[in-house]
Amino acid sequence: MSPFYLDIQLLNAQGQIIAAGKNRDLIGQSRAKSEFFQNAIDGNIDVSDLFEFEKTGTPIVAFSAPVFSHDRCSVKGVIVAYFNWQLISEYLSSVLIDSRSKILLLDSKGTLLCSSSHEKILQTSYAHLETWEKIKQGKSGHA
């Protein structure tokens, strides 16, 4: 399995894991309530928000797509690839910037997804900063 992905899974139409590339002990578990499954079972390709892989606590992003019947008339299941977000964190940590600066990746709510300074991802919010408001309005700014 590629170091970029923690697992690739096939889900049936009810959201149950029926095949897994690596974590076969998860076969039988349900992903039916997950947003990435719901979007894909409706026929859409989906990229999830960042979340923690329950087995390891590793931050991941799920890329999911519908699996259609041979005549493309119905969705038979969903295929999901779980991207290893730690690779993004490692890359940002290696970027050379001056000691007074840091690089932050935030989601649409201002929650930290990745940082060059190793802050707690998914637990730190920058939504309260004036700079965040400028960014949301499409303006530039710094903190």
mmCIF file of all heavy atoms in Angstrom, residues 98 100-104 106 126 128-136 138-143:
data_model
loop_
_atom_site.group_PDB
_atom_site.id
_atom_site.type_symbol
_atom_site.label_atom_id
_atom_site.label_comp_id
_atom_site.label_asym_id
_atom_site.label_seq_id
_atom_site.Cartn_x
_atom_site.Cartn_y
_atom_site.Cartn_z
ATOM 1 N N ASP A 98 11.143 32.190 7.974
ATOM 2 C CA ASP A 98 11.853 32.837 9.072
ATOM 3 C C ASP A 98 11.237 32.458 10.425
ATOM 4 O O ASP A 98 10.118 31.967 10.493
ATOM 5 C CB ASP A 98 11.888 34.363 8.888
ATOM 6 C CG ASP A 98 10.524 35.006 9.007
ATOM 7 O OD1 ASP A 98 10.020 35.071 10.141
ATOM 8 O OD2 ASP A 98 9.970 35.441 7.981
ATOM 9 N N ARG A 100 9.912 34.026 12.792
ATOM 10 C CA ARG A 100 8.727 34.738 13.279
ATOM 11 C C ARG A 100 7.458 34.351 12.520
ATOM 12 O O ARG A 100 6.386 34.810 12.857
ATOM 13 C CB ARG A 100 8.933 36.240 13.154
ATOM 14 C CG ARG A 100 10.093 36.767 13.991
ATOM 15 C CD ARG A 100 10.308 38.231 13.746
ATOM 16 N NE ARG A 100 10.474 38.435 12.308
ATOM 17 C CZ ARG A 100 10.385 39.597 11.697
ATOM 18 N NH1 ARG A 100 10.144 40.682 12.369
ATOM 19 N NH2 ARG A 100 10.541 39.694 10.391
ATOM 20 N N SER A 101 7.595 33.507 11.527
ATOM 21 C CA SER A 101 6.463 33.148 10.671
ATOM 22 C C SER A 101 6.086 31.688 10.850
ATOM 23 O O SER A 101 6.866 30.885 11.344
ATOM 24 C CB SER A 101 6.822 33.380 9.201
ATOM 25 O OG SER A 101 7.152 34.724 8.982
ATOM 26 N N LYS A 102 4.877 31.367 10.417
ATOM 27 C CA LYS A 102 4.443 29.982 10.362
ATOM 28 C C LYS A 102 3.418 29.839 9.249
ATOM 29 O O LYS A 102 2.787 30.805 8.838
ATOM 30 C CB LYS A 102 3.904 29.487 11.693
ATOM 31 C CG LYS A 102 2.721 30.226 12.267
ATOM 32 C CD LYS A 102 2.367 29.654 13.620
ATOM 33 C CE LYS A 102 1.339 30.521 14.319
ATOM 34 N NZ LYS A 102 0.997 29.967 15.628
ATOM 35 N N ILE A 103 3.285 28.636 8.774
ATOM 36 C CA ILE A 103 2.327 28.327 7.721
ATOM 37 C C ILE A 103 1.159 27.580 8.355
ATOM 38 O O ILE A 103 1.354 26.630 9.118
ATOM 39 C CB ILE A 103 2.976 27.446 6.636
ATOM 40 C CG1 ILE A 103 4.164 28.169 6.012
ATOM 41 C CG2 ILE A 103 1.946 27.075 5.574
ATOM 42 C CD1 ILE A 103 4.995 27.294 5.099
ATOM 43 N N LEU A 104 -0.047 28.012 8.025
ATOM 44 C CA LEU A 104 -1.259 27.381 8.553
ATOM 45 C C LEU A 104 -2.165 26.987 7.400
ATOM 46 O O LEU A 104 -2.330 27.757 6.457
ATOM 47 C CB LEU A 104 -2.033 28.344 9.457
ATOM 48 C CG LEU A 104 -1.295 28.989 10.616
ATOM 49 C CD1 LEU A 104 -2.172 30.044 11.273
ATOM 50 C CD2 LEU A 104 -0.891 27.936 11.622
ATOM 51 N N LEU A 106 -6.137 26.054 7.038
ATOM 52 C CA LEU A 106 -7.379 26.090 7.799
ATOM 53 C C LEU A 106 -8.533 25.603 6.939
ATOM 54 O O LEU A 106 -8.512 25.752 5.718
ATOM 55 C CB LEU A 106 -7.673 27.528 8.256
ATOM 56 C CG LEU A 106 -6.551 28.270 8.978
ATOM 57 C CD1 LEU A 106 -6.966 29.714 9.248
ATOM 58 C CD2 LEU A 106 -6.181 27.572 10.264
ATOM 59 N N TYR A 126 -8.743 29.492 14.406
ATOM 60 C CA TYR A 126 -8.286 30.848 14.104
ATOM 61 C C TYR A 126 -9.445 31.728 13.651
ATOM 62 O O TYR A 126 -9.250 32.828 13.157
ATOM 63 C CB TYR A 126 -7.192 30.809 13.026
ATOM 64 C CG TYR A 126 -5.886 30.304 13.568
ATOM 65 C CD1 TYR A 126 -5.601 28.937 13.608
ATOM 66 C CD2 TYR A 126 -4.944 31.188 14.071
ATOM 67 C CE1 TYR A 126 -4.406 28.471 14.126
ATOM 68 C CE2 TYR A 126 -3.749 30.725 14.597
ATOM 69 C CZ TYR A 126 -3.486 29.375 14.612
ATOM 70 O OH TYR A 126 -2.304 28.921 15.132
ATOM 71 N N HIS A 128 -11.441 33.475 15.247
ATOM 72 C CA HIS A 128 -11.610 34.707 16.019
ATOM 73 C C HIS A 128 -10.699 35.843 15.535
ATOM 74 O O HIS A 128 -10.881 36.994 15.929
ATOM 75 C CB HIS A 128 -11.337 34.429 17.499
ATOM 76 C CG HIS A 128 -9.925 33.999 17.767
ATOM 77 N ND1 HIS A 128 -9.498 32.707 17.511
ATOM 78 C CD2 HIS A 128 -8.852 34.685 18.216
ATOM 79 C CE1 HIS A 128 -8.201 32.618 17.813
ATOM 80 N NE2 HIS A 128 -7.794 33.800 18.241
ATOM 81 N N LEU A 129 -9.736 35.552 14.695
ATOM 82 C CA LEU A 129 -8.779 36.574 14.270
ATOM 83 C C LEU A 129 -9.344 37.481 13.173
ATOM 84 O O LEU A 129 -10.088 37.032 12.300
ATOM 85 C CB LEU A 129 -7.498 35.919 13.738
ATOM 86 C CG LEU A 129 -6.683 35.113 14.732
ATOM 87 C CD1 LEU A 129 -5.487 34.490 14.023
ATOM 88 C CD2 LEU A 129 -6.219 35.995 15.877
ATOM 89 N N GLU A 130 -8.964 38.733 13.217
ATOM 90 C CA GLU A 130 -9.359 39.690 12.197
ATOM 91 C C GLU A 130 -8.880 39.233 10.817
ATOM 92 O O GLU A 130 -9.574 39.381 9.816
ATOM 93 C CB GLU A 130 -8.786 41.070 12.523
ATOM 94 C CG GLU A 130 -9.133 42.143 11.530
ATOM 95 C CD GLU A 130 -8.486 43.471 11.869
ATOM 96 O OE1 GLU A 130 -8.178 43.720 13.049
ATOM 97 O OE2 GLU A 130 -8.288 44.254 10.935
ATOM 98 N N THR A 131 -7.698 38.638 10.779
ATOM 99 C CA THR A 131 -7.143 38.144 9.521
ATOM 100 C C THR A 131 -8.054 37.091 8.901
ATOM 101 O O THR A 131 -8.235 37.053 7.687
ATOM 102 C CB THR A 131 -5.736 37.552 9.750
ATOM 103 O OG1 THR A 131 -4.911 38.579 10.263
ATOM 104 C CG2 THR A 131 -5.146 36.999 8.484
ATOM 105 N N TRP A 132 -8.627 36.231 9.722
ATOM 106 C CA TRP A 132 -9.527 35.196 9.216
ATOM 107 C C TRP A 132 -10.733 35.826 8.529
ATOM 108 O O TRP A 132 -11.167 35.378 7.476
ATOM 109 C CB TRP A 132 -9.964 34.264 10.341
ATOM 110 C CG TRP A 132 -10.950 33.236 9.865
ATOM 111 C CD1 TRP A 132 -12.243 33.103 10.246
ATOM 112 C CD2 TRP A 132 -10.714 32.208 8.893
ATOM 113 N NE1 TRP A 132 -12.833 32.064 9.576
ATOM 114 C CE2 TRP A 132 -11.922 31.496 8.735
ATOM 115 C CE3 TRP A 132 -9.613 31.834 8.142
ATOM 116 C CZ2 TRP A 132 -12.053 30.437 7.862
ATOM 117 C CZ3 TRP A 132 -9.754 30.761 7.265
ATOM 118 C CH2 TRP A 132 -10.957 30.084 7.140
ATOM 119 N N GLU A 133 -11.261 36.880 9.125
ATOM 120 C CA GLU A 133 -12.399 37.576 8.515
ATOM 121 C C GLU A 133 -12.006 38.152 7.154
ATOM 122 O O GLU A 133 -12.779 38.093 6.197
ATOM 123 C CB GLU A 133 -12.929 38.674 9.440
ATOM 124 C CG GLU A 133 -13.667 38.146 10.652
ATOM 125 C CD GLU A 133 -14.844 37.255 10.287
ATOM 126 O OE1 GLU A 133 -15.595 37.589 9.348
ATOM 127 O OE2 GLU A 133 -15.018 36.203 10.935
ATOM 128 N N LYS A 134 -10.808 38.701 7.056
ATOM 129 C CA LYS A 134 -10.333 39.236 5.774
ATOM 130 C C LYS A 134 -10.206 38.130 4.733
ATOM 131 O O LYS A 134 -10.584 38.308 3.578
ATOM 132 C CB LYS A 134 -8.979 39.933 5.948
ATOM 133 C CG LYS A 134 -9.056 41.244 6.689
ATOM 134 C CD LYS A 134 -7.665 41.852 6.787
ATOM 135 C CE LYS A 134 -7.686 43.149 7.558
ATOM 136 N NZ LYS A 134 -6.337 43.738 7.674
ATOM 137 N N ILE A 135 -9.672 36.996 5.149
ATOM 138 C CA ILE A 135 -9.500 35.875 4.231
ATOM 139 C C ILE A 135 -10.858 35.404 3.718
ATOM 140 O O ILE A 135 -11.037 35.159 2.531
ATOM 141 C CB ILE A 135 -8.729 34.716 4.914
ATOM 142 C CG1 ILE A 135 -7.280 35.133 5.169
ATOM 143 C CG2 ILE A 135 -8.791 33.442 4.079
ATOM 144 C CD1 ILE A 135 -6.513 34.195 6.071
ATOM 145 N N LYS A 136 -11.837 35.294 4.613
ATOM 146 C CA LYS A 136 -13.175 34.852 4.212
ATOM 147 C C LYS A 136 -13.797 35.818 3.199
ATOM 148 O O LYS A 136 -14.586 35.428 2.367
ATOM 149 C CB LYS A 136 -14.087 34.711 5.431
ATOM 150 C CG LYS A 136 -13.796 33.470 6.222
ATOM 151 C CD LYS A 136 -14.742 33.184 7.365
ATOM 152 C CE LYS A 136 -15.869 34.094 7.579
ATOM 153 N NZ LYS A 136 -16.666 33.826 8.769
ATOM 154 N N GLY A 138 -12.123 37.377 0.973
ATOM 155 C CA GLY A 138 -11.292 37.378 -0.214
ATOM 156 C C GLY A 138 -10.218 38.446 -0.217
ATOM 157 O O GLY A 138 -9.606 38.743 -1.237
ATOM 158 N N LYS A 139 -9.966 39.025 0.947
ATOM 159 C CA LYS A 139 -8.930 40.044 1.073
ATOM 160 C C LYS A 139 -7.652 39.419 1.631
ATOM 161 O O LYS A 139 -7.662 38.292 2.121
ATOM 162 C CB LYS A 139 -9.402 41.161 2.015
ATOM 163 C CG LYS A 139 -10.666 41.850 1.532
ATOM 164 C CD LYS A 139 -11.144 42.867 2.533
ATOM 165 C CE LYS A 139 -12.454 43.508 2.047
ATOM 166 N NZ LYS A 139 -13.025 44.375 3.054
ATOM 167 N N SER A 140 -6.571 40.153 1.594
ATOM 168 C CA SER A 140 -5.330 39.649 2.160
ATOM 169 C C SER A 140 -5.147 40.220 3.554
ATOM 170 O O SER A 140 -5.784 41.178 3.947
ATOM 171 C CB SER A 140 -4.137 40.024 1.271
ATOM 172 O OG SER A 140 -4.013 41.422 1.188
ATOM 173 N N GLY A 141 -4.241 39.606 4.301
ATOM 174 C CA GLY A 141 -3.965 40.073 5.641
ATOM 175 C C GLY A 141 -2.933 39.207 6.312
ATOM 176 O O GLY A 141 -2.503 38.205 5.772
ATOM 177 N N HIS A 142 -2.500 39.623 7.469
ATOM 178 C CA HIS A 142 -1.545 38.858 8.249
ATOM 179 C C HIS A 142 -1.867 39.024 9.723
ATOM 180 O O HIS A 142 -2.544 39.964 10.117
ATOM 181 C CB HIS A 142 -0.102 39.300 7.949
ATOM 182 C CG HIS A 142 0.166 40.715 8.337
ATOM 183 N ND1 HIS A 142 -0.207 41.769 7.542
ATOM 184 C CD2 HIS A 142 0.758 41.239 9.425
ATOM 185 C CE1 HIS A 142 0.136 42.910 8.133
ATOM 186 N NE2 HIS A 142 0.731 42.605 9.275
ATOM 187 N N ALA A 143 -1.382 38.090 10.508
ATOM 188 C CA ALA A 143 -1.638 38.151 11.956
ATOM 189 C C ALA A 143 -0.335 38.378 12.696
ATOM 190 O O ALA A 143 0.722 38.060 12.242
ATOM 191 C CB ALA A 143 -2.260 36.843 12.423
#
